[in-house]
Amino acid sequence: MKNINLTKLALAVFFLLPFGEAGRGFTQSLIRGPYLQSPGQNSIILRWRTDVATDSRVNFGLTIAANTTTTDDATSTTEHRVKLTGLSPKTTYYYTIGSTSSVLLGPDSLLHFTTAPDTTIPNSFRLWAIGDFGHGNQAEADVRDSYLRLAEKEKPADLWLWLGDNAYSDGTDAEFQTKVFDSTFGYGNIFWNLPFASTSGNHDYNSICPWQPTFCNENPENHSGPYLDIIDPPIHGELGGVPSNRKLFYSFDYGDAHFVSLNSELGSLVSSYNWLGLFNSDTSFTSPMLDWLKADLAATTKKWKIVLWHQTPYSGQDNFTDDGVQQFCVASRVHFNPIIEKFGVDLVLVSHDHNYQRTFLINGHYGNSSSFTPSMKINGTSGKEDLGEPYIKYKNGPMKDKGAVYVISGNASEGNDYSPISHPAIYWGEACGTCFGSFIVDINNDTLRGRYLASDDTIADYFTILKKTYVSPEGIEEQKVLGNFTVYPNPSPGKYLVDFSLKKKSTVRIDVLDAIGKVVYSQNKTTLNPGNHQLTVDLEKSNFAAGNYFIRLDCEGVSFKKVVKKE
Ligand SMILES: [Fe+2]
C-alpha cells in the first residue's frame, strides 16, 4: 500500500468540514486523529477529537467506495471512540469517520487499517519503533520522513511502537497535539493507517504524577493524565495476555508475537507505590507490576516475545546506567531483566538515552558494567546474517530460550553528543548531536531482523535472530546431502581439519559448541559444489579452554563430531 501524503491531512479537513453538521446550523471541526488503537485479528479501536460534541459513526468496507458497514456510538462527546468488531485477520479495510448526521472525514486512500495476522498460520509483519520523539523539531520530522521513504521503497510498518518521552517537555495534551499529532513536525496522517502501542517516559509522567520529575509518590492506581487519556490498549486480555486491568502496563498478541509494555516510571519513595523497585537491590523484591509480568510471560505460548519500556538498562555513554543519577535505569535492569530473561524474551526496546545502541545476545547481567563477564554473551558476534553470524535462539535443549538483544532507540528527535559509547554488553552504537533515527523490526515466521534506520536513510546497524530446533550432539539425523565427515587430529591443541563430502551443491556452515551446547565459534556460511572439501577450525586462541567440544557441520541437516582440546 502506498503510504503517506502529509499534505492530504489539511486538504481533507478543509474540504470536508463545511459539509459536516452545516445543515443543522453548526460546523464540526476535526481536532485530532483519527488514530488507531488495539489492533486485533478481529477488532480495532478508532479514536478522534472534535471541537463540537456529537455521537460517533465509522463506516468501513473492503474498498474505498464500498465502506458500507456502519458502527455507531450514541454518546455525545468530543473524544470519539468506536470499536469495530467482527473483522477478518490480516485484512485491509477503508473507513470514514463522523456522526450519524454526517461524514466528517473520508473517503480517502489513506483512511484504512489492516487487522493483525492470523496466528494459526506462519505470518510476517513489520514494526516501527521511535523513542524520545515529540520535541516538535526538524529532527523529529527528518526521522519521520526517513521512515516514510523506507515505507515507500519497501513496505510500511504494520505496528508502531512508542518507547516513551513521547511529548516534550511535560507530556501535556497541548504538547501531544502540536508535537505529535500535528503534521508539521509530528506524524500527521501516519495516524490514519498505522496503529500504535506505547509506553510512557519520565517526560510524559510530568503531567501524570504531580511529584515528578524526580519521584512519583502517588498511588499508581490513581495515575491519570494526557498520555493515559490518549492511549487505548487492550488491558483486559482482549488481544491475549494476562489482564493487567491498568493502562500503566499491559500486554497483547500480534501475529506470532507477544508484546509487553512495562512502566519504568513507577519508582517511588513510598514503598507501597514503588512498583519498579527503585533504590531496592533485593532480587526477591516484588510488586503488582512484577507479579503481573511473571504471570503474563509464564502464560504466553507465542514464538516471539518483545518487551518495551523507557529507561534503558544498559548504556555505554558516560556511565549512564552505572552512576547514581539514572536510578530508574538501574532498577529496570535489576528487576525487569531477570524476569524477562527467565521467560525467554527475545527483544527489548527502550530509549531515554538519546542515541542508538544495542547489545550482543546476552543473558544474566544485572549489575554495573564492570560486572559484565564474557560468559554473559550467549552470542558475542555481530548478529549479522550476511556475515554468517546470526543470533540463534533454540526452541529446545540446554540453551532453550537463552539470550535477549536490548536496543536503545532514543534519538527520534534529539541526539546526545557526549562521550564515545563503551559498555561490554553493547555491540555497537551511534551517538552525536546530529545523529537521529528509528528502529525497524521485521518478523517472518522463525526470523526476526532488526535495523537501525538513520535519518539520512542509512541502515547503520542490523542483526538477525533465528529460532532453531536444537539437535543434540548425541542425536542421529538422516543426512541427504552430507557424505563422509571426519575431523582430525583429535585430540589437538586446537586446530582441526574438517574433511567432508557433499552429494549435491549445498550451503555449509560450521559451528563449535561447548559441552552445554553454547555456540563458541562460527564460520561463515558458504555454498559449495558436490565433492570433497576441507575446512579448518581453529580453537587455539587462549579464550578457548581445554576440554570437550562438538564441531557441528550444517548442510541442510546437521552432524556432530566430538573433539578434545588439549592443554
Ligand atoms: Fe527519558
Side-chain angles (χ1 to χ4, degrees):
M1 289 161 286
K2 188 177 165 93
N3 202 323
I4 309 297
N5 180 350
L6 288 168
T7 59
K8 282 191 173 183
L9 172 63
L11 289 173
V13 173
F14 176 81
F15 284 114
L16 290 167
L17 286 179
F19 300 101
E21 298 276 1
R24 295 169 57 188
F26 67 93
T27 300
Q28 185 186 45
S29 294
L30 181 63
I31 304 299
R32 174 179 294 178
Y35 64 95
L36 307 166
Q37 292 284 277
S38 294
Q41 293 183 62
N42 307 116
S43 64
I44 197 164
I45 294 170
L46 284 78
R47 297 269 303 262
W48 69 95
R49 176 183 289 179
T50 55
D51 61 341
V52 175
T54 64
D55 58 8
S56 309
R57 167 167 287 180
V58 174
N59 295 314
F60 62 99
L62 296 177
T63 66
I64 297 176
N67 53 1
T68 52
T69 305
T70 294
T71 299
D72 294 338
D73 188 299
T75 307
S76 182
T77 182
T78 58
E79 300 292 340
H80 302 269
R81 178 186 189 275
V82 175
K83 182 174 182 176
L84 309 183
T85 59
L87 308 173
S88 299
K90 200 153 182 77
T91 301
T92 297
Y93 295 86
Y94 292 85
Y95 67 91
T96 65
I97 60 167
S99 67
T100 54
S101 302
S102 62
V103 173
L104 180 59
L105 185 66
D108 188 286
S109 62
L110 298 179
L111 286 169
H112 60 80
F113 61 83
T114 301
T115 48
D118 182 345
T119 59
T120 62
I121 56 176
N123 52 74
S124 64
F125 54 89
R126 172 169 289 184
L127 311 172
W128 178 40
I130 54 175
D132 298 76
F133 51 100
H135 272 94
N137 58 11
Q138 189 57 46
E140 181 181 352
D142 290 345
V143 171
R144 173 199 67 198
D145 293 344
S146 68
Y147 160 73
L148 292 175
R149 287 189 291 272
L150 185 83
E152 182 77 25
K153 179 181 171 188
E154 298 180 358
K155 65 174 184 177
D158 300 287
L159 183 61
W160 187 12
L161 301 177
W162 293 6
L163 305 180
D165 284 358
N166 306 314
Y168 281 86
S169 289
D170 299 312
T172 66
D173 186 76
E175 288 170 335
F176 273 103
Q177 185 68 28
T178 58
K179 299 176 179 179
V180 179
F181 285 103
D182 187 31
S183 57
T184 304
F185 297 121
Y187 303 94
N189 53 17
I190 292 177
F191 281 103
W192 293 5
N193 51 41
L194 182 59
F196 72 86
S198 62
T199 186
S200 57
N202 48 301
H203 283 272
D204 307 307
Y205 249 79
N206 286 346
S207 288
I208 293 176
C209 180
W211 296 92
Q212 282 284 358
T214 306
F215 303 109
C216 190
N217 293 333
E218 185 80 15
N219 186 346
E221 301 289 16
N222 299 331
H223 288 188
S224 63
Y227 164 78
L228 294 168
D229 291 340
I230 288 167
I231 65 170
D232 213 323
I235 63 175
H236 302 300
E238 305 95 312
L239 300 183
V242 171
S244 71
N245 299 315
R246 304 169 179 93
K247 290 184 178 180
L248 303 176
F249 47 87
Y250 58 91
S251 67
F252 63 95
D253 297 334
Y254 188 96
D256 207 5
H258 184 66
F259 289 84
V260 178
S261 172
L262 291 175
N263 191 323
S264 60
E265 314 312 312
L266 299 183
S268 176
L269 297 180
V270 180
S271 60
S272 59
Y273 303 159
N274 186 13
W275 292 8
L276 174 66
L278 190 70
F279 298 126
N280 190 325
S281 58
D282 183 353
T283 55
S284 65
F285 172 84
T286 193
S287 72
M289 177 164 57
L290 298 180
D291 286 341
W292 169 82
L293 176 63
K294 292 169 193 165
D296 181 74
L297 288 177
T300 185
T301 58
K302 292 298 177 189
K303 181 181 296 177
W304 296 99
K305 302 177 187 72
I306 298 173
V307 180
L308 43 146
W309 70 82
H310 179 64
Q311 307 250 359
T312 178
Y314 306 113
S315 174
Q317 274 213 331
D318 277 355
N319 296 320
F320 195 82
T321 52
D322 284 348
D323 66 24
V325 175
Q326 302 292 342
Q327 285 298 318
F328 288 74
C329 294
V330 171
S332 77
R333 183 179 63 236
V334 171
H335 299 296
F336 290 165
N337 289 19
I339 299 172
I340 64 167
E341 291 182 351
K342 176 183 177 183
F343 291 105
V345 166
D346 306 290
L347 179 66
V348 174
L349 300 171
V350 294
S351 56
H352 191 56
D353 205 355
H354 294 174
N355 48 51
Y356 171 84
Q357 302 178 63
R358 65 99 170 165
T359 67
F360 301 97
L361 188 73
I362 63 172
N363 183 80
H365 181 238
Y366 312 128
N368 286 354
S369 57
S370 60
S371 67
F372 190 88
T373 65
S375 67
M376 294 171 181
K377 294 179 186 174
I378 300 300
N379 189 320
T381 69
S382 67
K384 298 182 190 306
E385 193 171 17
D386 59 325
L387 300 181
E389 299 176 343
Y391 296 145
I392 308 295
K393 287 199 66 172
Y394 288 107
K395 303 174 184 176
N396 59 310
M399 297 299 285
K400 180 178 184 295
D401 289 337
K402 278 279 185 293
V405 176
Y406 295 77
V407 174
I408 302 172
S409 183
N411 57 347
S413 68
E414 190 174 78
N416 283 347
D417 58 359
Y418 45 88
S419 67
I421 290 170
S422 175
H423 188 294
I426 301 291
Y427 164 73
W428 186 81
E430 179 183 65
C432 74
T434 55
C435 300
F436 312 111
S438 57
F439 194 66
I440 306 288
V441 179
D442 286 295
I443 290 179
N444 186 357
N445 200 11
D446 284 335
T447 303
L448 182 154
R449 292 189 174 89
R451 292 182 290 173
Y452 167 46
L453 175 64
S455 59
D456 66 356
D457 297 352
T458 304
I459 301 297
D461 182 40
Y462 57 95
F463 62 87
T464 297
I465 302 175
L466 301 177
K467 296 276 185 173
K468 289 215 168 186
T469 300
Y470 176 75
V471 179
S472 163
E474 287 76 32
I476 299 172
E477 184 171 317
E478 183 186 358
Q479 284 288 2
K480 298 184 175 62
V481 176
L482 184 65
N484 300 321
F485 175 30
T486 58
V487 176
Y488 63 97
N490 185 22
S492 141
K495 192 166 285 185
Y496 305 91
L497 297 175
V498 180
D499 279 2
F500 60 97
S501 62
L502 298 176
K503 299 171 187 173
K504 66 173 188 174
K505 187 174 183 177
S506 174
T507 58
V508 175
R509 176 187 170 90
I510 289 181
D511 297 301
V512 178
L513 286 63
D514 65 13
I516 63 168
K518 180 178 176 181
V519 176
V520 295
Y521 172 99
S522 293
Q523 277 195 5
N524 292 353
K525 182 182 282 187
T526 184
T527 300
L528 297 175
N529 289 319
N532 296 319
H533 301 279
Q534 183 178 81
L535 296 172
T536 300
V537 168
D538 186 357
L539 302 183
E540 286 188 335
K541 295 174 187 172
S542 59
N543 56 324
F544 293 106
N548 294 331
Y549 293 90
F550 295 93
I551 292 179
R552 181 174 65 191
L553 185 61
D554 184 345
C555 45
E556 301 177 24
V558 294
S559 289
F560 293 87
K561 293 293 180 186
K562 182 178 178 180
V563 297
V564 177
K565 182 183 178 187
K566 297 189 293 189
E567 292 285 354

